[in-house]
Amino acid sequence: MSSELEVQQHALPVRLSHWLMAFAMIIMIGSGWRIYDSVPIFPFTFPYAITIGGDVGIALARNNDPGVAGAIAWHFAGMWLLLISYLVFVGWGLVTGHFRRDFFPVGPRSFIADFIAAATFKLAHKLGEYNAVQKVAYLVALSAVALMLISGIAIWKPVQTYPLEVLFGGFQGARLVHFLGMSVIVGFMVIHVSLVVLVPKTLVAMILGRATAKPHAEKV
Amino acid sequence: MSMNSLITPRRKLLRAGFSVGTLGLLGGCNLTDNDPVQTVLKAMSRWNDRVAAAIFDPNKLAPEFSEAEAAHPFRYNAWYGPELAPKLSASDYKLSIAGLAENKKPWTVEDLTAMPQVTQITRHVCVEGWSDIGKWTGTPLREFLKRIGADTTAKYVGFECADGYYEGLDMPTAMHPQTLMAFKLAGQTIPTQHGYPFKLRVPTKLGFKNPKFITTIFVTNQEPRGFWTDRGYNWFSGT
């Protein structure tokens, strides 16, 4: 065990694209929930209070529209921000070797070991170093965003990109995949934010670019 | 748009949800309806229309499906119930022509259905997320535009409808081989609620750009308004 300080650093493009992606995802999820509500896939809807797309009462009174037009405007504006920030984040991670260094190697054995350790609260959080569960979580979340972009294109332009929706089992299949991808991302965000609350220095690093901690000062 | 399904109990529910929403999350300050935000959203919406128009390939055909995949009955959709759909009759119906066309003689149902017809089994995709496949029989709009001597170098074709609805298409979509004046649905004369004497079937557009009960067709260089576009949806709305 080293007595040196643990250091976490995030380059500016990573921080910038991280926060833009987070902002874009909140827009996409909130507006997406309202679009979902107009023709739900499952026997439940999202409360309008937690959806995005402007004033429902005014839209209903003026246009007989349950605020879906506004939600779609937000969704189709947010998608560009998500696309750009995602490409910057992933592009930077791939080109600089950040993903290769920090997300790999990762295998089923280390994942299971770390998962058990985390579940029994025995996994030490080392600032600046990702355990196998974290690595998998980040890879799953980034893949889910890619899936959202692809299934989103299939739903947005089902005629011009027809083979895409066939891949998802048709237009309604693409809607289902889009919903499931959203669920994965929301799940990730809940866990991600909870863990940041437990290890607040990671938030410092993601805002200021650098944070330090005494070795094993914090446990998750 | 399935507004008919939203008119009664659901609407009350939505209103209730809305009041909780403003009180709760936004604390009385409406974050999403202020002017600068609306300006950005409108600009993005226009940008998305341009992107959608650029993505649209006038030679790409919408997928066709098998008869077994067609929905029976085909879903009815409007902001009013089917019993309120305008009942047009062949004896007094006239289709007017306006704008950049040489021959503005009105068309009767008999004139219209005398044109050559084709059958297509295509899918209607609603902006709200549902989709239904239908078997449509009718005349390609481009054949009709040829017959009225339309200036097909003009940018748009507009439609006015008997129920007060109005829509418009960009010329490349109007000239698309699958854009049909559909006189028949599922092999039968198109029923009143689906647009008798015809519905414009545009499988390369979202459902709300498929106007019914059309009473005037006009050719123009000015972008025609759209009923739902005026209510915040994208004008191009290609699929």
Side-chain angles (χ1 to χ4, degrees):
Chain A
M1 198 169 93
S2 149
S3 59
E4 276 171 47
L5 278 182
E6 293 172 6
V7 181
Q8 180 153 42
Q9 295 189 86
H10 292 301
L12 184 65
V14 170
R15 282 179 279 148
L16 205 62
S17 54
H18 166 271
W19 289 112
L20 287 175
M21 240 194 320
F23 177 60
M25 279 180 189
I26 289 166
I27 290 175
M28 297 308 276
I29 292 164
S31 56
W33 284 353
R34 190 180 293 180
I35 299 166
Y36 164 94
D37 279 357
S38 63
V39 180
I41 303 173
F42 298 106
F44 66 87
T45 54
F46 297 96
Y48 273 77
I50 56 166
T51 65
I52 292 174
D55 193 311
V56 173
I58 294 174
L60 272 173
R62 287 184 62 192
N63 302 328
N64 211 353
D65 178 71
V68 175
I72 287 175
W74 277 95
H75 210 68
F76 290 176
M79 71 183 184
W80 295 106
L81 185 61
L82 180 62
L83 176 71
I84 292 164
S85 53
Y86 181 77
L87 290 178
V88 169
F89 189 89
V90 172
W92 179 272
L94 291 175
V95 169
T96 61
H98 157 50
F99 284 179
R100 185 175 39 77
R101 272 195 315 273
D102 296 324
F103 293 165
F104 294 96
V106 61
R109 206 168 294 172
S110 59
F111 175 78
I112 291 166
D114 284 356
F115 187 82
I116 291 168
T120 52
F121 300 98
K122 282 180 191 147
L123 188 63
H125 185 273
K126 225 176 152 191
L127 200 63
E129 201 174 287
Y130 299 136
N131 62 59
V133 177
Q134 274 179 295
K135 290 176 182 177
V136 168
Y138 292 137
L139 292 171
V140 165
L142 288 171
S143 311
V145 177
L147 188 67
M148 292 309 272
L149 293 168
I150 297 166
S151 58
I153 289 169
I155 297 165
W156 185 45
K157 296 290 165 229
V159 169
Q160 303 305 321
T161 67
Y162 185 63
L164 258 190
E165 67 153 74
V166 175
L167 209 69
F168 295 118
F171 182 74
Q172 296 303 329
R175 280 187 76 210
L176 180 62
V177 169
H178 206 60
F179 185 91
L180 296 176
M182 177 278 295
S183 311
V184 169
I185 290 169
V186 170
F188 168 80
M189 286 171 102
V190 169
I191 296 168
H192 187 59
V193 173
S194 313
L195 292 177
V196 169
V197 170
L198 291 175
V199 190
K201 286 213 165 141
T202 54
L203 181 63
V204 174
M206 193 46 94
I207 294 171
L208 299 178
R210 184 185 159 89
T212 56
K214 283 177 190 156
H216 296 246
E218 288 152 309
K219 281 204 171 192
V220 175
Chain B
M1 235 155 285
S2 60
M3 295 311 156
N4 53 320
S5 63
L6 293 164
I7 288 168
T8 41
R10 192 124 172 249
R11 200 163 162 187
K12 282 180 191 153
L13 199 75
L14 298 178
R15 287 211 168 121
F18 149 70
S19 47
V20 171
T22 41
L23 290 173
L25 264 191
L26 305 175
C29 150
N30 202 322
L31 197 64
T32 55
D33 279 339
N34 61 58
D35 285 340
V37 171
Q38 288 308 308
T39 307
V40 171
L41 285 179
K42 278 196 184 112
M44 284 304 293
S45 217
R46 295 310 288 174
W47 155 256
N48 283 324
D49 278 337
R50 284 201 293 276
V51 172
I55 289 173
F56 176 68
D57 175 356
N59 299 313
K60 179 169 250 150
L61 295 180
E64 295 202 30
F65 300 85
S66 74
E67 215 155 345
E69 291 169 281
H72 297 291
F74 187 82
R75 186 163 173 168
Y76 169 78
N77 204 15
W79 70 99
Y80 52 82
E83 69 286 353
L84 296 174
K87 292 177 183 64
L88 305 180
S89 80
S91 55
D92 54 12
Y93 173 85
K94 286 266 173 25
L95 173 65
S96 310
I97 310 299
L100 306 171
E102 282 165 19
N103 185 356
K104 294 203 175 80
K105 177 183 77 75
W107 289 60
T108 63
V109 173
E110 202 184 338
D111 298 335
L112 287 169
T113 51
M115 290 189 291
Q117 298 185 16
V118 295
T119 294
Q120 285 164 6
I121 303 172
T122 54
R123 183 179 57 191
H124 174 117
V125 172
C126 177
V127 66
E128 294 191 318
W130 62 270
S131 53
D132 248 1
I133 293 166
K135 181 176 149 184
W136 306 94
T137 304
T139 304
L141 181 64
R142 66 176 180 188
E143 171 65 26
F144 181 76
L145 292 175
K146 198 171 84 185
R147 291 182 183 220
I148 62 169
D151 175 6
T152 53
T153 65
K155 286 182 178 164
Y156 308 101
V157 181
F159 309 91
E160 296 290 329
C161 309
D163 59 350
Y165 201 75
Y166 45 92
E167 253 309 334
L169 293 177
D170 48 293
M171 189 59 79
T173 301
M175 297 294 282
H176 189 276
Q178 287 170 310
T179 300
L180 290 190
M181 299 163 84
F183 305 112
K184 285 181 178 176
L185 170 59
Q188 306 293 319
T189 298
I190 194 162
T192 292
Q193 76 268 26
H194 287 300
Y196 181 87
F198 73 95
K199 168 192 175 105
L200 195 74
R201 228 344 250 151
V202 195
T204 55
K205 293 284 193 200
L206 289 174
F208 71 82
K209 288 194 85 76
N210 289 240
K212 307 185 278 191
F213 335 100
I214 297 168
T215 49
T216 301
I217 293 182
F218 59 96
V219 182
T220 176
N221 279 311
Q222 282 185 312
E223 188 182 90
R225 293 183 311 148
F227 185 88
W228 289 111
T229 304
D230 284 349
R231 285 153 182 80
Y233 290 89
N234 284 97
W235 188 85
F236 194 86
S237 287
T239 52

